[in-house]
Amino acid sequence: MRLPFTITFILLAYIANAQTASIRGQIKSSNNQPVELINLVLKGTGKGTVTTETGEFEFTGLAAGSYQLSGTGLGFRAIEKHVQLGEGENVILNLTAHEDTKELQTVEITGRRETTYKNDLSFIGSKTATPIKEVPQAISYITKEVMRDQGTFLMGDAVKNMSGVNQFTFYDDLTIRGFRMNGGSTTQLFNGLRTFSGFWKQPPVNYLERVEVIKGAASALYGNTSPGGTINRVTKKPLTTPQKSLTFTTGSFNTIRTMADFTGPMNENKTLLYRLNVGYNNAQGFRNLQFDKNIIVAPSVSFLPTEKTRINFDLVYNRSNSRLDRGQSVVGNDLYSSSIKTSLNAVNDYLNEETYLITTSLNHQFTKNTSFNIAYLRTGYSEDLLEHRSSNVNAVDSSGAAIPNLVARQVFIRKTKSFMDNVSMFFNHNFNTGKAEHKLVAGYDYIQSYTPKGSGQQTASGYLLKAGGAGAYNAKTPEKYIFYNYTENGVTRSIPKPNVAHYDLTLQNNQMEDPSKYIYNVTANAATTPVYYQLHGLYLQEQVKIDRLQILLGLRYDTYVDKKGYTTNNETNVTQHALLPRIGAVYTLTKNINIYGTYTKGYNPQDAAVQSNPLSGGPFDPIRSSLTEAGLKSEWFDARLTANLSVYNITQSNTLYSANAPENLDLMQQIGQEKAKGVEFDVTGNILPNWNLIVAYSYNDARITDGGAKAADQVLVNKQKPNAPKNQGSVWTKYMFVNQGLSGLGIGLGANFVTERNLSISNTQTLPGYMLLNAGIYYKIDKFQFQINLNNLADKTYWVGGYDYLRLFPGAPRNFMSTISYTF
């Protein structure tokens, strides 16, 4: 009896095993990263599972037969895989989940999954999740991976990788295709919403996912914008996969920098996600008396209660303590007559700034094809300033002749606050008519910006009068002034005594000053004048796709209301209207190449602070512009690398420039017309998974074609615009070794260059071109990465921009930064 029982047990076990097969595997993204939360089902069996944090999944207890595996995940294309199972067979699958470029998320709420130099989607070009190659306008971008590899901390170091973007000064101050755009204006974007910054400091980038620029006017979607392009800073958003990293950097100029980035789910079902970026930076810089301390706190929370509703909250708080650096002054026309370290500050100068940006957004999907989006951004900025700076002229002797070695100085004491609110709401609706696929966007924007009453500035300048007080020097009435003797090269000259001590370039007289001894005037200027304006914008956009052809049609109607004389008894509304069309087309020439063309019109009211400033010489007519652009966008190496080419022509009228009048620094002049035409070329991505590459080049002919109403201004015609190089470019490549002996080791090499630039429309001073060489060395072991960045290897003396030879903005000499990071 015992033998039959044993045989029966073995037989039953064999039968059970014969009926039990399994399917196991792992799902990774196209960037070879594990993908979690992919819902997998075996059709017709009722069996389902979800991938783990490592992308793994498993089906067990399966009978032999034919199965259809289906997978879906938020932001990824559907996965379909046929699996044939034999009796007791264990099949192992390695599957790839590809990003869904038709993602229904029409605002960026959950984080970008890609971890390479390449970014596939952009929301800035069409307010829909559109592949960049399908947007009929040039878009440049820099991802956080590029900024990490280059050791970038400030915006100016990030944009050097973009074609057509150049620094005007070393503030938050750029030219794009030759047109100036700075942080003090209100034409830059933050997560696609209107904002501004304090101008004096470049924004940190440690909390950014990427920096992107839509080239040419983006007025049809965002209202008044620069005709050269619009910068959008995109913050890091929460991820569904837990990730944490700590970074510590030290290096040249007594730099100490600590950063942390934490993200992941806050509950088990992963409907509540968080991300927290914090940073501390303390650096003296290469300039005399300069320093910059930054504390950055940037939390982000995403709530996904259902697949149809997503809510996001972002806060960026930045507190900065520093000195305001007004640049280098030189003797006469000799750029090399003073050190690039030369600054005109006093030891007790200070600039304390506080900035916050608070964003809330909601995305709700009513149906498969219809969604609604609403977002609100609040920007706040405060400034507390004491500075010794140049008066933009040299000191003079009793005859009124300039003394090249002495720079006249002035003192500003200023406190000011500014605020901005932007509400943006729009509907997305997708539908088909025959063969045509439609994407319709209809929206409304409300923007208000104001500098409330309560800001103020005191200015000390000029020369001391015998009768008391101070004023500009008049050589015709020397008897009114107090004089002293100044000796230079054995020659003694009698010069009027300044209210604020001159800066002697031969002595480098930086010292502690006593501001209480100066004679001040309370002055009104653009920074402290109470300002208030509103903008209402209605827009409609249609994207139509018919086979290989895509057409984009956009129209926006803006109403701009500026309160002239804000906070006074004479307050009046000045209302302007603008109708802004946009027409574009994209044609898929081959699988890898799209060609496109576009035409847009732009409009930009003159800065409300300038209009309200009684010293500016206004009021001024609004800026008008138009853009014609064509090009091609292509993808190579299995879509790992993009190569884009654009040709453009921009016309702008009524631009304001500083009149460079020493007696009135706020005086502006309006130019009749400017044109910029050029070619841009960008390559971004990975040649191999371990080999990254960025190449950018631009040729930009940006000239004044009409000097304006005054006949004297016609001498400006055909002058290249200030700080707009004709040729500019950059290259950066990083290679990580994969062979066994060098695994974990990597090198990075790069260069960037610009050609000669004009400094001002009203003089002939220029800055020489330059080329910088940079490098990086990387070593990764387990969860640690060691990194050394070497910048300006040849120790080149150069200037990123300037206004004139008394206000030059030099670049940093050779320097290094050493970084260690830990990811867990």
Side-chain angles (χ1 to χ4, degrees):
M1 296 293 293
R2 195 170 195 179
L3 182 61
F5 176 79
T6 302
I7 294 174
T8 302
F9 179 80
I10 293 173
L11 182 61
L12 290 173
Y14 172 79
I15 294 172
N17 185 64
Q19 292 178 341
T20 302
S22 68
I23 300 174
R24 296 179 175 86
Q26 185 181 32
I27 298 180
K28 292 186 176 182
S29 68
S30 55
N31 299 321
N32 203 37
Q33 298 295 315
V35 180
E36 66 168 336
L37 297 180
I38 297 293
N39 294 300
L40 295 166
V41 296
L42 290 176
K43 292 183 177 179
T45 67
K47 291 181 177 291
T49 188
V50 177
T51 56
T52 65
E53 293 179 0
T54 58
E56 294 174 311
F57 64 91
E58 181 179 27
F59 292 94
T60 59
L62 301 176
S66 180
Y67 293 91
Q68 186 67 27
L69 177 66
S70 178
T72 57
L74 187 65
F76 292 97
R77 300 175 191 168
I79 298 172
E80 297 290 338
K81 179 70 175 179
H82 180 77
V83 182
Q84 186 68 40
L85 282 179
E87 290 186 355
E89 184 179 5
N90 296 316
V91 173
I92 298 176
L93 302 175
N94 291 305
L95 304 175
T96 301
H98 296 279
E99 295 275 349
D100 184 3
T101 57
K102 299 189 183 299
E103 163 73 49
L104 292 174
Q105 175 179 313
T106 50
V107 290
E108 290 182 276
I109 288 178
T110 53
R112 167 180 171 267
R113 297 181 179 91
E114 297 165 305
T115 57
T116 68
Y117 286 12
K118 182 173 175 285
N119 179 56
D120 291 323
L121 294 177
S122 176
F123 297 79
I124 189 179
S126 61
K127 289 205 172 182
T128 60
T130 303
I132 292 176
K133 67 179 181 180
E134 296 180 8
V135 177
Q137 208 160 337
I139 295 177
S140 293
Y141 62 86
I142 299 297
T143 65
K144 67 179 184 297
E145 288 76 21
V146 179
M147 295 185 279
R148 175 201 63 201
D149 290 345
Q150 293 183 350
T152 299
F153 182 71
L154 297 175
M155 179 75 73
D157 293 323
V159 299
K160 69 184 180 184
N161 299 285
M162 297 179 178
S163 64
V165 183
N166 187 66
Q167 287 184 252
F168 198 99
T169 62
F170 49 40
Y171 307 135
D172 186 14
D173 191 14
L174 306 169
T175 61
I176 305 176
R177 290 181 170 178
F179 295 91
R180 191 176 181 186
M181 194 224 70
N182 60 64
S185 69
T186 57
T187 57
Q188 58 175 283
L189 302 176
F190 183 80
N191 290 326
L193 297 167
R194 188 73 65 88
T195 189
F196 67 96
S197 69
F199 178 68
W200 304 123
K201 297 296 178 182
Q202 298 174 21
V205 300
N206 66 296
Y207 57 86
L208 297 181
E209 179 65 41
R210 66 182 179 276
V211 178
E212 56 188 8
V213 177
I214 180 169
K215 306 291 186 64
S219 303
L221 277 181
Y222 300 102
N224 56 306
T225 57
S226 167
T230 302
I231 286 185
N232 184 33
R233 289 178 285 155
V234 182
T235 57
K236 295 176 181 176
K237 301 297 190 300
L239 299 173
T240 55
T241 304
Q243 293 181 17
K244 299 178 179 66
S245 67
L246 297 172
T247 303
F248 177 77
T249 299
T250 186
S252 299
F253 320 130
N254 296 319
T255 297
I256 297 176
R257 186 180 305 151
T258 302
M259 294 181 289
D261 183 1
F262 302 150
T263 186
M266 298 173 69
N267 57 2
E268 289 187 6
N269 56 7
K270 300 186 179 181
T271 58
L272 190 62
L273 313 173
Y274 84 98
R275 191 153 194 168
L276 176 62
N277 278 266
V278 294
Y280 171 75
N281 181 71
N282 188 344
Q284 286 187 289
F286 69 95
R287 307 260 300 141
N288 291 337
L289 297 186
Q290 300 307 316
F291 71 93
D292 192 14
K293 294 180 181 179
N294 277 278
I295 296 175
I296 307 110
V297 181
S300 179
V301 177
S302 295
F303 180 43
L304 293 75
T306 71
E307 291 186 356
K308 295 184 176 181
T309 303
R310 307 171 197 178
I311 301 169
N312 198 79
F313 169 83
D314 283 291
L315 167 66
V316 175
Y317 173 82
N318 183 10
R319 184 175 180 179
S320 171
N321 304 110
S322 64
R323 290 192 181 98
L324 178 50
D325 187 351
R326 292 285 187 165
Q328 173 196 6
S329 297
V330 299
V331 179
N333 288 318
D334 184 358
L335 278 174
Y336 302 94
S337 60
S338 71
S339 167
I340 60 172
K341 299 179 180 180
T342 303
S343 71
L344 276 60
N345 289 102
V347 174
N348 47 323
D349 286 352
Y350 57 82
L351 171 61
N352 299 322
E353 296 176 292
E354 191 173 62
T355 304
Y356 66 83
L357 300 104
I358 302 174
T359 311
T360 55
S361 59
L362 165 69
N363 170 225
H364 180 71
Q365 188 179 337
F366 294 103
T367 68
K368 179 180 178 181
N369 296 316
T370 304
S371 64
F372 172 71
N373 306 271
I374 183 169
Y376 168 69
L377 171 62
R378 168 76 167 184
T379 304
Y381 170 78
S382 65
E383 172 189 304
D384 183 11
L385 169 71
L386 166 63
E387 65 163 332
H388 288 69
R389 52 159 292 182
S390 85
S391 296
N392 309 330
V393 292
N394 288 102
V396 296
D397 64 12
S398 57
S399 67
I403 304 175
N405 283 344
L406 293 185
V407 181
R409 285 199 299 179
Q410 58 188 330
V411 167
F412 288 167
I413 299 176
R414 180 166 65 233
K415 288 190 177 184
T416 185
K417 292 184 178 182
S418 297
F419 304 93
M420 172 172 276
D421 299 281
N422 182 193
V423 178
S424 176
M425 58 184 75
F426 57 95
F427 285 90
N428 294 79
H429 181 62
N430 303 334
F431 62 98
N432 295 335
T433 56
K435 291 184 178 181
E437 301 176 13
H438 301 264
K439 287 184 178 181
L440 187 67
V441 179
Y444 166 76
D445 285 338
Y446 172 76
I447 299 166
Q448 71 172 17
S449 179
Y450 58 100
T451 299
K453 197 164 187 175
S455 298
Q457 176 173 301
Q458 289 185 320
T459 303
S461 62
Y463 293 88
L464 296 178
L465 297 165
K466 291 180 180 179
Y473 182 70
N474 186 345
K476 295 180 180 180
T477 57
E479 67 277 3
K480 294 183 178 181
Y481 301 89
I482 302 172
F483 287 85
Y484 75 101
N485 291 329
Y486 170 72
T487 301
E488 175 191 3
N489 297 326
V491 178
T492 300
R493 303 164 76 175
S494 177
I495 66 174
K497 190 172 184 178
N499 186 10
V500 178
H502 297 320
Y503 187 88
D504 193 330
L505 291 170
T506 61
L507 298 177
Q508 301 280 307
N509 57 311
N510 297 104
Q511 57 194 28
M512 183 173 290
E513 304 284 0
D514 186 355
S516 67
K517 294 182 178 180
Y518 306 140
I519 298 171
Y520 292 94
N521 292 315
V522 177
T523 58
N525 69 359
T528 60
T529 301
V531 171
Y532 182 93
Y533 80 79
Q534 294 178 333
L535 187 145
H536 302 267
L538 291 169
Y539 57 92
L540 186 66
Q541 177 183 276
E542 160 79 315
Q543 291 174 272
V544 184
K545 183 176 182 179
I546 307 173
D547 295 326
R548 295 186 174 188
L549 177 65
Q550 298 183 63
I551 298 173
L552 185 150
L553 304 172
L555 187 66
R556 181 182 175 107
Y557 181 74
D558 265 8
T559 299
Y560 179 90
V561 182
D562 178 13
K563 291 187 178 295
K564 188 175 182 180
Y566 178 52
T567 73
T568 70
N569 293 331
N570 298 320
E571 180 177 306
T572 57
N573 287 345
V574 178
T575 304
Q576 299 175 352
H577 304 279
L579 191 64
L580 306 168
R582 180 189 188 192
I583 303 170
V586 179
Y587 183 76
T588 303
L589 197 63
T590 69
K591 178 183 177 182
N592 296 330
I593 301 175
N594 287 356
I595 58 175
Y596 74 92
T598 193
Y599 173 80
T600 66
K601 293 191 74 173
Y603 162 82
N604 207 349
Q606 301 293 354
D607 187 273
V610 174
Q611 290 280 58
S612 300
N613 184 0
L615 301 179
S616 67
F620 300 103
D621 294 330
I623 297 171
R624 304 279 182 176
S625 65
S626 64
L627 163 74
T628 304
E629 179 178 312
L632 61 85
K633 300 183 179 185
S634 63
E635 291 185 330
W636 308 97
F637 301 108
D638 295 325
R640 293 194 308 268
L641 187 81
T642 61
N644 302 328
L645 176 71
S646 60
V647 180
Y648 60 88
N649 192 317
I650 302 172
T651 300
Q652 176 172 276
S653 59
N654 300 328
T655 310
L656 282 184
Y657 285 95
S658 171
N660 286 324
E663 70 282 358
N664 181 6
L665 300 180
D666 292 340
L667 186 64
M668 307 295 289
Q669 60 180 325
Q670 195 158 32
I671 300 303
Q673 189 181 79
E674 304 165 296
K675 286 190 176 181
K677 55 184 178 180
V679 179
E680 293 173 342
F681 178 67
D682 293 272
V683 175
T684 306
N686 299 57
I687 298 175
L688 296 170
N690 59 316
W691 185 8
N692 303 313
L693 178 68
I694 295 179
V695 178
Y697 169 76
S698 67
Y699 170 79
N700 180 44
D701 186 12
R703 296 179 180 272
I704 296 169
T705 55
D706 181 359
K710 297 179 181 178
D713 289 339
Q714 294 307 315
V715 298
L716 304 173
V717 172
N718 287 327
K719 291 193 67 174
Q720 184 80 357
K721 296 184 62 182
N723 291 297
K726 278 194 174 182
N727 295 277
Q728 174 213 22
S730 64
V731 60
W732 172 263
T733 184
K734 177 190 174 186
Y735 184 84
M736 295 296 295
F737 294 95
V738 293
N739 53 308
Q740 187 173 0
L742 297 174
S743 179
L745 180 66
I747 57 172
L749 294 171
N752 62 284
F753 78 93
V754 300
T755 54
E756 184 182 72
R757 292 139 291 151
N758 293 329
L759 283 182
S760 170
I761 62 169
S762 58
N763 61 43
T764 58
Q765 293 176 333
T766 62
L767 287 178
Y770 63 85
M771 183 174 74
L772 305 180
L773 301 175
N774 308 302
I777 303 172
Y778 314 89
Y779 184 68
K780 188 172 184 179
I781 178 171
D782 195 19
K783 297 181 179 181
F784 286 92
Q785 175 167 297
F786 302 89
Q787 173 178 333
I788 297 177
N789 289 97
L790 307 168
N791 304 307
N792 193 2
L793 288 171
D795 202 19
K796 178 76 174 178
T797 298
Y798 68 103
W799 293 267
V800 299
Y803 301 113
D804 52 45
Y805 281 5
L806 293 178
R807 292 174 294 172
L808 296 167
F809 299 95
R814 180 167 50 222
N815 63 89
F816 80 95
M817 293 293 158
S818 177
T819 302
I820 181 172
S821 58
Y822 177 63
T823 302
F824 57 101

